[in-house]
Amino acid sequence: MKIFKKLQVKLNEELNILKNPLIERNAQKLVAKLKNSKLFTANNSFDEFRVKCLSDTIYDLYLTEPEIFKGLSNKQENIVAGFINRLITHSNTDDLITVLGEVLELSEQQLNRFSNQLKFLKLSHVINAIEIIKDRLEVINDLEDLIFNHKKYKTYEVAHIQKIMDKSYWILGEQYHLVASTDRKFTNVLTRIIYETTGATQYHQLVHKDKNKELDLVLVKQNFDGNGKVECVVVELKRPQLELTDVHLDQVKTYLNVIKTEPKYSGFNFTWKFFLIGASIKESSNIPDTIKGLKIYGEQGLVHLANDGKYKIYIRLWCDIFTEYKSRYKFMNEQLQVEINTFENETCTADEIASRNRMSDGPQEINLL
């Protein structure tokens, strides 16, 4: 009997050696298939880490117990993936281990193995998150330097400020996709928005006297919760030397009026926000009084709204943007004691600063064929 048990153990060990490569291949195939679902969509650097953590967790869970995913339909696989995503984003590692242990009846050895894998993943993602925070603070430092020391660097709007914003649009929000950058014409921009929200690559010719106006930066945020809401953001950047005036505001209103004439964007699902960003506001302009008059809506910098808030224009000053961002990361920065090199720019030109590539850079704009 003892000989039989020893033989059985030996056979199981040999079978596991043969099974492991097959299980690994199947785990890779499952993760590759799941990556086509919306759950694996990454809109920013932090989201990329969530997706990476989710992929690695599902892969390791499959290696630990392949039977979990056996015989599941595509819909059921996505439900399981969504369940795991919720556990790793809203709970701690111990919660995930406990739930899986109770529901799947994993052995102590399997749970210990899976627990160790998750601890390693958690540590690696914490390290990556720290790197992103450091990167972002350095970007803020670069922009501050270029804007507030513009005479020293001879800072230009397109060559320097816009070049950084094309890569660092996370400053305006975490959930946005870059649709157009670097002075895109309206027709091109609208084609890209149609592509981003529907997948279509064709768009009819825009008919408007201002159709050839160029936009600095266009972002899109699409909600995937079933309501089909699409939020579009148009950004107009002004070089640091300029004070924002009524002329600049009228320029943005022109963009708004072009959009309003397009039937495809007059539906309830589309909302448009326009940001006019600069270093200061000319006090003799009408802008300060207009902002004061719209304070009742409780939105900072709101300077114009139309169609019951479907279209809104905001004035943003760089100093406020920097202060808000630093405040947002103050606690994390203090706890992690992230150190950035504030002297890095002393011997650099504006071109060199604007050309830096960082880990926190957002994805490039959509490449339409």
Side-chain angles (χ1 to χ4, degrees), residues 89-149:
T89 53
H90 296 282
S91 307
N92 58 41
T93 304
D94 292 337
D95 290 340
L96 179 58
I97 297 297
T98 301
V99 171
L100 291 175
E102 291 176 354
V103 174
L104 304 173
E105 298 181 350
L106 300 179
S107 68
E108 185 177 351
Q109 183 181 4
Q110 289 173 318
L111 284 174
N112 287 336
R113 179 187 170 197
F114 188 49
S115 176
N116 289 331
Q117 289 167 332
L118 281 180
K119 285 175 183 175
F120 174 76
L121 284 173
K122 191 173 183 179
L123 177 61
S124 67
H125 289 302
V126 167
I127 292 170
N128 285 332
I130 292 172
E131 283 299 311
I132 284 185
I133 292 170
K134 180 176 179 291
D135 256 15
R136 289 187 170 189
L137 290 172
E138 287 176 347
V139 169
I140 294 295
N141 183 65
D142 287 348
L143 277 170
E144 275 189 303
D145 220 1
L146 289 174
I147 288 165
F148 298 131
N149 296 310

Side-chain angles (χ1 to χ4, degrees), residues 184-190 205-215 254 258:
R184 294 286 186 181
K185 289 183 171 57
F186 262 113
T187 298
N188 185 288
V189 169
L190 297 179
Q205 184 64 35
L206 183 65
V207 180
H208 195 283
K209 63 183 179 64
D210 294 311
K211 69 178 182 181
N212 291 322
K213 295 285 185 182
E214 295 179 341
L215 309 176
T254 298
V258 174

Side-chain angles (χ1 to χ4, degrees), residues 53-182:
C53 188
L54 178 59
S55 301
D56 292 344
T57 302
I58 291 172
Y59 177 83
D60 287 331
L61 184 57
Y62 192 101
L63 294 185
T64 304
E65 184 49 73
E67 292 295 317
I68 295 170
F69 298 93
K70 186 177 179 181
L72 297 183
S73 65
N74 291 341
K75 183 177 181 180
Q76 289 169 330
E77 286 175 348
N78 281 299
I79 290 173
V80 173
F83 165 72
I84 295 170
N85 179 67
R86 185 160 186 82
L87 280 174
I88 64 176
T89 53
H90 296 282
S91 307
N92 58 41
T93 304
D94 292 337
D95 290 340
L96 179 58
I97 297 297
T98 301
V99 171
L100 291 175
E102 291 176 354
V103 174
L104 304 173
E105 298 181 350
L106 300 179
S107 68
E108 185 177 351
Q109 183 181 4
Q110 289 173 318
L111 284 174
N112 287 336
R113 179 187 170 197
F114 188 49
S115 176
N116 289 331
Q117 289 167 332
L118 281 180
K119 285 175 183 175
F120 174 76
L121 284 173
K122 191 173 183 179
L123 177 61
S124 67
H125 289 302
V126 167
I127 292 170
N128 285 332
I130 292 172
E131 283 299 311
I132 284 185
I133 292 170
K134 180 176 179 291
D135 256 15
R136 289 187 170 189
L137 290 172
E138 287 176 347
V139 169
I140 294 295
N141 183 65
D142 287 348
L143 277 170
E144 275 189 303
D145 220 1
L146 289 174
I147 288 165
F148 298 131
N149 296 310
H150 60 82
K151 290 181 180 178
K152 169 187 172 182
Y153 291 108
K154 296 180 181 177
T155 305
Y156 290 102
E157 172 196 325
V158 176
H160 305 131
I161 305 303
Q162 188 168 320
K163 191 170 184 178
I164 293 177
M165 287 298 292
D166 282 353
K167 298 178 288 185
S168 307
Y169 48 88
W170 42 262
I171 290 172
L172 299 173
E174 295 288 351
Q175 303 299 320
Y176 293 114
H177 298 260
L178 179 63
V179 175
S181 64
T182 319

Side-chain angles (χ1 to χ4, degrees), residues 243-284:
E243 291 183 312
L244 299 180
T245 67
D246 297 320
V247 173
H248 302 132
L249 180 56
D250 287 341
Q251 179 185 354
V252 178
K253 287 180 179 178
T254 298
Y255 301 156
L256 187 155
N257 289 329
V258 174
I259 297 297
K260 284 176 69 176
T261 63
E262 276 298 298
K264 285 183 178 288
Y265 301 103
S266 60
F268 293 110
N269 284 343
F270 276 92
T271 58
W272 289 82
K273 292 181 179 179
F274 299 78
F275 289 97
L276 174 59
I277 302 178
S280 61
I281 299 171
K282 194 173 184 65
E283 284 300 319
S284 61

